[in-house]
Each structure stands twice: as C-alpha cells, then as structure tokens.
Amino acid sequence: MKDDITREERVAGLKGMGCSRKRVEDARFTQGKGNYVDDIKLPGMLHGDFVRSPYAHARIKSINIDAAMALPGVVAVLTAKDLEPLGLHWMPTLAGDKQMVLADGKVLFQGQEVAFVVASDRYVAADAVELVEVDYEELEVLVDPFKSLQSDVVLREDLVAEDGSIPNGAHGPRKHPNHIFTWEVGEEEATNQVIDNAEVVATEEMYYHRTHPCPLETCGSVASMDKVNGKLTLWGTFQAPHVVRTVASILSGIEEHNIRVVSPDIGGGFGNKVGVYPGYVCSIVASIVTGVPVKWVEDRMENLMSTAFARDYWMKGKISATKEGKITGLHCHVTADHGAFDACADPTKFPAGFMNICTGSYDIPVAYLGVDGVYTNKAPGGVSYRCSFRVTEAVYFIERMIEVLAIELNMDPAKLRSINFIKKEQFPYTAALGWEYDSGDYQTAWDKALAAVDYTGLRAEQAQRVEDFKAGKTRKVMGIGLSFFTEIVGAGPVKNCDILGMGMFDSCEIRIHPTGSAVARLGTISQGQGHATTFAQILATEIGLPADSITIEEGDTDTAPYGLGTYGSRSTPVAGAATAMAGRKIRAKAQMIAAYLLEVHDDDVEFDVDRFVVKGAPERFKTMKDIAYAAYHQAIPGLEPGLEAVSYYDPPNMTYPFGAYVCVMDIDVDTGVPEIRRFYALDDCGTRINPMVIEGQIHGGLTEALAVALGQEIAYDDMGNVKTGTLMDFFLPTAWEVPNYETDFTVTPSPHHPIGAKGVGESPHVGGVPCFSNAVQDAFRPFGNRHTNMPHDHWRIWQTANSLGMHG
Ligand code: CDP
C-alpha cells in the first residue's frame, strides 16, 4: 500500500503535541452558547437566597421568619434549627475543621449565612430575605490574628471543652482557643545556629494581604432530588465534582451511585470553586424538602464577602549569607489568618499547603518554617488563588528576602540569584525543607531573560534616572522588578497528598469508535484552561488519531472516571499523565491488532505517527483508523473485541515548573501611578503541549498577578466590615492597566512525567506577583526603601514616596 502524503503532513494533520491548535471550546463561548450553572432551568425550579449577617461577631438571640413566609411565592425559610435534625447545620471543611451551614447560635464573620429563603423566583427570594428578622447581640470583633491569639474573646466556642481546656485540632495541639495549629518543617535549632553565626543576616517582616480569586462567574448550584427514583442530581460550579459527590453522599446519607454531580461550563475558578459552600448544601436540602429542583447562585458581593479568600499571611523572615553572597540559612515564621472556620483547601498533611517550598530556586543548606493558623472574624477559605497550595506566598517571601539580602550585601539582586541557584547538575534536588525538585536549568533561563531585556543597560538607565531625579529633571523613578520562581504542581503522589482522605490521583478513560474517532473522559474539569483542546492533542500524538476526531469530556460524575479535579495546575501533571498512559494502553492493543492484520509478530511492527508499520518495510502498514475498525469488526484470535482503555495515574512526584521574569516600571512619585513599560516572562513548563494555550495562560496569570500586587485586596475595618466587597473597590484590571507581555521559554522536561510536561497555568501568577512588587520596591530602593507591603495601589505608592522625603 502506498501513501500519497508525506510524514510531515501526517504529523501536521494530527494537530498533536507542540501544535498551536485553536481552542475548540471557543466557538461556543464566543457565540454565547456556553452552558453555565445559571443557564440551567428545570421545570418547577425554585430559587434560594441567603439572609446574611451584617455583623462580624454576634450572638443570635432570635430569628423570626413569619413575615418572610407570608410573602406570596415564598415556599420555605430554612434556619440552623431545620438543618439540625438532619445533622446538616454544620459541615466538614476540607481542612478537617467544621463550618456552620447556617448560623448556629452565633455569627463569626460579616456575610455569614444565617437563613436560606426558597421562593418561586429570585426576586421574591431577595424580597423575602429582607423580611426575615434576626435579633443580634454584638460581640467583640477580632480581625487581627496577633490580637486574636492574645484575646479572652473565644471565637469558636464549639472548640473549647466544658472544663475550659483546649482539645487538639485536626493538625495537633492548639495553644489558645483562637489558635488552629502549629506546623513546623525543617531544623529550627540548626537554622538559628547558622543565622546567629553568619557574616551577613537580613531580616524582614511582610504581610501578604488577603485577596480573592473573584472569577467572572460567581458560585452556584442547582439541586434536583428525584424522590421516586431516589436520585439526586447536582449541577454546580465545582472544580472537583467527584469530591463533591463523595462529600454529598457522606453528608446526606444518599448512596454515591444515586448522586450525579455535574460541573457544566465554568467561568473561571482560580481556587474559588474548590471548597464546599453552604449554598450547595442548602440547595440540596431545599430540593429534598420541597421535592422540586432548587437553584442557588450568589451575587458578586456575596462571592467577595463569603466565599474562599486567598493569602492573609503575616511572614517573618531571616536569611543569612557569606560576605560573597552565598546563602547559608533561612528561617520563616508565618501567622496565618484563616478566618472564622479553617476551610483552607490544602492536602491533609499540609495545613499551610506547600509553603515549605519557601527556599525557592536556591540551594539553601538549612532552613526552618513554622506556621501558626489563627481564627479571626473574617470569611473562611484559604485557597490557592491561581497557584499551587500557598506557593505564591512562598515565592513572594523568598523573592523579597533575596531583595533585602541584596540590599544588606550591597550586591546586585540578579547576581545574588545567580550565585545561589540550584545548579543543573544537582537535579533531582532535595531541598532543605524536604521537596525533591524533579528537573531544572535555572541559570540558562536567567541568562536568557537578563540578555533579552538588556539588564545591564537597564541598570545604567536606572542610575541615570536617579541622578536626574535628584537634580530635579524628572519626577518619575524607574524600577526593575526581578523574580525567579519554582512552582510545585501536580498534587500529587497519593502517599503524601490527600484531601479528606481522598488520594490525589487522576484518571482518563478512552473509547475509540470503529470509524477511528474517539471520546476521552477525565477526572478533571476545565474552567477556561482549554482542556478539550489540549488533552486531545496529547492523545493525537499518543494514539495517532487526529485531535479533531477526539472529544474530551469532563465534569459529569456519571460518565467520567473518578478524579480529584482541577486546581493547583494539577491537570497536566496528573490527568495529562493519565491521558498519555491510557493512550499507551490503546497503542499496545493496537500493536497486537496491527501485527495480526499484517501477518507478522507483534515485535515486528512499530508505531509511526498514525499507523503501525512493519519494521524495515514501511510500505506495509495499518493506520490507526484501520486498526480501530478491525478492533470491532474482525475476529482476532486471543483478543477481546473493542478498543478502550482507562488509566488511574498516581504520580511518583510533583512537577517543578520554573521561570524568570523581569518588569520595568516608571512611577510618578507625585501621583503614585505606576506605568509598566515592559514585562518579560520566560516560562519553563517542560514539554509544551499547545504553545498558544500556554501563552494565553501566561497572559491571564500575569494579569491576575498585576491585580494582586498593585491593588486587589479584601480589606476589613476594625468592626469586621468588608471594605472592598464590590467591584467598585475590589480592583480587577482592565485592558487599560494591562501591559504588553513579552513571553519566552526554555524546555526542561519532567523526567518522571510520561510526556515530560509540567503544569503552567499558575506559574505566571506565582512569578508575577513578586516581579510586579519588586519593580515598585526597586524604584524606591535607591532612595532608601527596603520593603513596603502590597498591594501597591497609587495611594500606598504615594505614601512610600512621601515617607522617603521625595515630595519636597
Ligand atoms: O490544572 P490546570 O488546567 O489549571 O493547569 P495546567 O495543567 O497548567 O494546564 C493549563 C492549560 O495549559 C491546559 O490546557 C494544558 O493542557 C496547557 N498546558 C500545555 O499546553 N503544556 C504544558 N506543559 C502545560 C499545560
């Protein structure tokens, strides 16, 4: 048999790995044909809305629902008392704590759910919310974690024994009623010894402010209990639908096979949609009670005020070095404000996530990390907002410590990084705090980045600008922000990563149809990352069928294999690996079929792009399409009919993408307005599946980094009022603020991942935040600045300039 197209054309026709294939999901998104939770409309569906607490800390003396119930269209008003007989007035959190579904005797943060109104439409429900009368007795509010640890005011009365003693929490002993856990990694004594005897030591305290992932689509769910068949269907904004199914089964007592959880299209998650929210539970209960479907969709203010926050870490660092700049030790202590309930989304054994990657990209011989979690009167959550669990905090910490150490050493911060990078030949590298980094070539990436921006030239320009400023020739200062980051993504090996006891593997199931098209289902769920495009590309390369002939499905627990979902850039490292492995199982069977069809031994055929060929006789081959047809329609001795495979992948390690970023910024000291002149981002995510999707991920991640570094904050006043609960106050960058990003890459494959890929979606956020922040700080460094806290909004930047005497 002869072929009339070249091998290159065959490769191109697959649109496999490495191809900038256009996103297949965009046709429906750009034409308004997406199907989001709020698009789901079922016959007879009711709508739920919450009565929320205006107070951050108050006892509830009484709740009167009479007026609300009297409003035409109102079907039910649920309070904690109604949920108590079902055991659903509290629910477990992902962090091993428990959280009130509806306020049980007291409220602990502003916006907390107090009652759930169910009505014929959303407007009636909202009107009825206003008619529920709640009598509150205000209590002292604690929004400062340091004061909380000193206070006599007990926030979580449920966590203090009757004799006044403090029982252990999910992560061990607690020192105070408002204390959640202490988590320690590394060697404190040895670290202190090194630091105490070091030639140079830099210390710094920094606050990584509370912020919020703020996805375009807020959280919501539609529950439909079919009492006749005993089946519950739950549509929702879930980043981990299978986990939701398991938790819903445990909470409700409904057997898991009778629960179907569907994540339809999701309009961004960024960590916000990992947790389980009272709205999900209340919509389920309301559907069980009323016997009809019930929808709950929160509004923007509810999303910002009550669903998962991010960060809120008070970090204290000490770093030591020789006079030549070789780092010798690192000490870090974090006071972590977790709000009213510990609802952080972290693997069970890591109560502060992967904060223990805070030694960053540097070869630091000895280190210690201690984290104290604290309750305050703020919303619960603690999710990894576009980063792997707490990695943004860790990278921000070390990248700021490097900058202050450079000041202490009077050394160029780029050079200081070079001196301390983990070297290429040291990989796999075990860091002082325990992680084994899989692969990296940091110096090559760094050199490429510095050369691309002409770093030496930039520093000369900056020096000139300082002189011009001092001479009164300009009112603009110039900052050069540097960051070098290592992410840790792909949780994770089941042996050390689980959530609520569920091991963090992932899965892919493939069915090849007789005509050579395929459907693959995964345990992950895209929230805009383009999985339908890129996972088909992995398969195209692995099984030799065109990506255009492969449908990717995710998010329906009735069809998809069990998986732990999408967050922490785990999809490619874990589900991507499962996809490749399932593809290889298909290929192994296809090889046997091909050998039979070609009448040779299995070992005498080899895979080539889209076919198996007889070794040494390339004109004798069977395409994967031929093989798929034969798999179903030809009796092959010793083989079952069909061509399907499933893989559950437990990764041996996480993957460690890295990158080198440079931001050049001009700042008007009189207005505090920063102008980003240049932003260069070099990312290394190992094997690149779709360069165009990667580019999009980087643009998005950098923009969210800009937001966090330059203005985005969930701020509270002393009374626990949220001051930034609307998009008037909570900064979301627009095209106006976003600069032109220059992207670049190196490729250092992961040695343990089947296709060498590492995650990428979150890297730009992780590296971007310190880069933007360092640019601001660097602009003021020649004038005496050492560290100022984010977010660097115009007012704070102006204050920095003012405090440095730059206003006259
Ligand atoms: O878990 P999540 O999808 O958020 O993050 P990811 O695994 O970093 O993937 C984000 C998107 O980038 C997906 O569409 C991936 O397939 C794609 N990607 C890629 O093309 N090449 C890589 N090496 C990593 C991710």
Side-chain angles (χ1 to χ4, degrees):
M1 205 188 298
K2 267 264 178 234
D3 218 2
D4 53 2
I5 57 170
T6 65
R7 190 170 189 280
E8 286 68 34
E9 285 168 334
R10 288 195 280 125
V11 171
L14 292 182
K15 297 189 191 165
M17 284 194 279
C19 163
S20 282
R21 180 180 186 223
K22 284 192 182 156
R23 286 169 36 118
V24 293
E25 43 278 87
D26 286 354
R28 79 172 183 281
F29 293 149
T30 54
Q31 293 174 51
K33 298 278 196 267
N35 182 37
Y36 298 90
V37 171
D38 208 18
D39 293 321
I40 292 164
K41 295 179 176 73
L42 302 174
M45 188 172 75
L46 299 172
H47 297 258
D49 197 4
F50 279 111
V51 176
R52 292 180 182 273
S53 170
Y55 299 108
H57 196 196
R59 212 165 288 289
I60 294 182
K61 290 162 71 182
S62 64
I63 302 176
N64 185 343
I65 63 168
D66 295 347
M69 283 299 289
L71 190 72
V74 173
V75 177
V77 179
L78 303 176
T79 64
K81 281 203 176 70
D82 302 305
L83 301 187
E84 195 171 351
L86 307 168
L88 289 175
H89 55 321
W90 288 71
M91 62 180 184
T93 69
L94 295 180
D97 194 1
K98 55 183 185 154
Q99 175 176 350
M100 291 177 206
V101 173
L102 291 172
D104 184 20
K106 72 189 286 198
V107 287
L108 286 152
F109 65 94
Q110 189 184 52
Q112 186 176 334
E113 300 81 0
V114 174
F116 190 67
V117 174
V118 186
S120 53
D121 71 43
R122 189 145 181 204
Y123 302 98
V124 174
D127 287 347
V129 161
E130 300 295 320
L131 296 174
V132 175
E133 293 161 25
V134 186
D135 192 6
Y136 296 97
E137 177 191 320
E138 283 184 71
L139 299 170
E140 189 179 329
V141 172
L142 297 169
V143 286
D144 176 334
F146 298 99
K147 285 188 187 152
S148 182
L149 283 180
Q150 303 296 325
S151 176
D152 293 337
V153 177
V154 176
L155 299 180
R156 293 288 301 277
E157 287 152 354
D158 58 298
L159 297 180
V160 178
E162 273 176 22
D163 64 0
S165 62
I166 306 166
N168 282 359
H171 306 288
R174 297 161 55 227
K175 302 181 221 178
H176 181 277
N178 299 335
H179 179 243
I180 309 173
F181 64 83
T182 297
W183 186 52
E184 292 180 289
V185 195
E187 301 168 59
E188 184 164 34
E189 221 179 283
T191 305
N192 283 340
Q193 233 170 39
V194 166
I195 292 175
D196 290 346
N197 297 310
E199 290 174 352
V200 183
V201 178
T203 60
E204 195 51 73
E205 289 182 25
M206 58 194 91
Y207 176 47
Y208 199 142
H209 58 291
R210 179 175 273 238
T211 183
H212 193 283
C214 192
L216 202 55
E217 175 203 30
T218 59
C219 299
S221 57
V222 177
S224 179
M225 185 71 210
D226 172 351
K227 288 193 178 172
V228 176
N229 296 305
K231 294 226 175 228
L232 170 70
T233 306
L234 185 64
W235 293 263
T237 47
F238 308 131
Q239 288 184 236
H242 282 97
V243 177
V244 171
R245 187 183 71 182
T246 301
V247 173
S249 173
I250 293 167
L251 285 179
S252 67
I254 301 170
E255 279 196 88
E256 208 164 343
H257 72 284
N258 279 330
I259 301 177
R260 177 181 175 207
V261 175
V262 184
S263 295
D265 285 329
I266 297 185
F270 316 115
N272 186 231
K273 294 167 179 170
V274 173
V276 174
Y277 295 123
Y280 303 157
V281 179
C282 286
S283 62
I284 295 173
V285 174
S287 179
I288 294 172
V289 169
T290 61
V292 290
V294 175
K295 177 188 278 187
W296 164 74
V297 176
E298 63 182 5
D299 66 23
R300 178 62 58 196
M301 283 179 70
E302 292 178 297
N303 179 253
L304 286 172
M305 287 172 69
S306 69
T307 60
F309 75 92
R311 330 289 195 235
D312 219 340
Y313 263 26
W314 298 83
M315 305 186 281
K316 221 171 162 176
K318 269 191 255 175
I319 189 164
S320 60
T322 64
K323 277 188 280 198
E324 292 73 35
K326 177 74 193 82
I327 300 171
T328 53
L330 179 74
H331 188 286
C332 176
H333 183 268
V334 179
T335 301
D337 185 340
H338 284 206
F341 306 99
D342 187 10
C344 290
D346 292 311
T348 308
K349 296 188 187 92
F350 300 90
F354 300 158
M355 183 65 201
N356 57 329
I357 192 150
C358 63
T359 51
S361 314
Y362 312 104
D363 183 20
I364 302 180
V366 64
Y368 166 81
L369 167 75
V371 184
D372 280 295
V374 185
Y375 290 120
T376 59
N377 289 121
K378 296 181 182 173
V383 293
S384 32
Y385 169 10
R386 203 164 184 147
C387 66
S388 199
F389 315 99
R390 300 287 183 181
V391 175
T392 297
E393 289 88 325
V395 171
Y396 184 73
F397 169 78
I398 185 66
E399 289 304 287
R400 284 302 304 142
M401 290 310 293
I402 290 284
E403 293 284 318
V404 293
L405 179 62
I407 292 172
E408 208 69 52
L409 287 160
N410 196 21
M411 181 183 276
D412 180 278
K415 183 175 166 198
L416 179 58
R417 285 177 172 86
S418 285
I419 292 171
N420 289 289
F421 280 141
I422 301 161
K423 299 197 176 13
K424 190 179 170 185
E425 54 278 9
Q426 286 176 279
F427 290 92
Y429 171 85
T430 303
L433 295 178
W435 295 114
E436 189 189 285
Y437 294 27
D438 60 349
S439 63
D441 184 357
Y442 298 166
Q443 193 63 53
T444 301
W446 196 227
D447 292 343
K448 193 174 182 191
L450 297 184
V453 298
D454 180 21
Y455 181 67
T456 316
L458 285 174
R459 281 289 175 211
E461 187 188 344
Q462 187 191 37
Q464 183 61 48
R465 186 73 73 85
V466 172
E467 277 188 26
D468 288 351
F469 184 88
K470 287 182 176 163
K473 292 185 194 162
T474 178
R475 297 295 290 161
K476 283 190 179 174
V477 290
M478 173 181 163
I480 305 164
L482 303 176
S483 80
F484 196 99
F485 67 91
T486 300
E487 253 259 78
I488 166 171
V489 298
V494 170
K495 64 178 185 291
N496 56 22
C497 282
D498 73 272
I499 285 193
L500 289 178
M502 289 171 257
M504 296 178 78
F505 60 86
D506 230 290
S507 57
C508 174
E509 180 196 278
I510 306 170
R511 279 186 196 176
I512 312 286
H513 308 315
T515 51
S517 72
V519 58
R521 300 187 173 104
L522 287 83
T524 43
I525 173 70
S526 185
Q527 306 122 39
Q529 297 93 327
H531 291 178
T533 307
T534 54
F535 285 125
Q537 292 182 252
I538 297 176
L539 279 180
T541 299
E542 288 291 342
I543 63 176
L545 292 173
D548 289 344
S549 302
I550 302 168
T551 297
I552 300 294
E553 287 183 5
E554 297 176 304
D556 185 339
T557 58
D558 263 11
T559 53
Y562 202 102
L564 269 278
T566 292
Y567 42 86
S569 280
R570 66 185 298 279
S571 303
T572 304
V574 193
T579 305
M581 297 308 274
R584 286 172 197 184
K585 287 183 186 176
I586 296 276
R587 218 161 75 186
K589 185 168 179 184
Q591 179 164 1
M592 291 189 258
I593 298 170
Y596 174 78
L597 297 176
L598 291 161
E599 297 177 357
V600 294
H601 189 272
D602 293 356
D603 294 340
D604 291 335
V605 290
E606 62 189 357
F607 186 68
D608 181 46
V609 184
D610 57 353
R611 63 194 56 185
F612 277 94
V613 297
V614 176
K615 287 179 186 168
E619 71 287 355
R620 294 190 61 211
F621 64 86
K622 287 289 170 191
T623 66
M624 284 301 290
K625 268 186 106 156
D626 302 332
I627 294 166
Y629 198 82
Y632 288 91
H633 298 299
Q634 192 157 346
I636 299 169
L639 280 185
E640 285 178 12
L643 199 50
E644 296 186 5
V646 59
S647 167
Y648 286 85
Y649 189 80
D650 177 11
N653 190 3
M654 278 175 263
T655 66
Y656 294 74
F658 58 92
Y661 292 178
V662 184
C663 174
V664 185
M665 191 183 272
D666 293 310
I667 295 176
D668 183 325
V669 298
D670 296 320
T671 60
V673 175
E675 211 177 283
I676 298 152
R677 201 201 306 172
R678 205 166 169 193
F679 198 104
Y680 169 91
L682 179 150
D683 272 273
D684 191 319
C685 58
T687 304
R688 292 154 57 86
I689 300 160
N690 182 323
M692 187 164 62
V693 167
I694 292 173
E695 176 100 351
Q697 292 289 306
I698 291 168
H699 283 204
L702 288 177
T703 301
E704 285 184 315
L706 179 151
V708 170
L710 301 185
Q712 197 171 81
E713 183 178 22
I714 297 290
Y716 289 81
D717 69 12
D718 289 346
M719 303 289 290
N721 295 307
V722 180
K723 295 196 290 180
T724 51
T726 76
L727 293 184
M728 291 294 285
D729 305 299
F730 186 82
F731 172 50
L732 270 195
T734 62
W736 179 254
E737 290 92 1
V738 176
N740 178 41
Y741 299 119
E742 299 164 51
T743 57
D744 204 345
F745 64 96
T746 53
V747 177
T748 312
S750 167
H752 62 77
H753 188 281
I755 58 169
K758 302 179 178 186
V760 78
E762 296 171 334
S763 297
H765 192 72
V766 168
V769 174
C771 192
F772 285 112
S773 178
N774 281 345
V776 175
Q777 319 252 11
D778 186 72
F780 293 106
R781 184 185 43 80
F783 303 92
N785 176 59
R786 186 182 163 93
H787 175 79
T788 55
N789 281 329
M790 295 187 293
H792 307 291
D793 56 23
H794 302 176
W795 167 232
R796 280 202 181 89
I797 292 178
W798 185 91
Q799 281 181 307
T800 302
N802 201 46
S803 68
L804 295 170
M806 296 170 81
H807 290 149

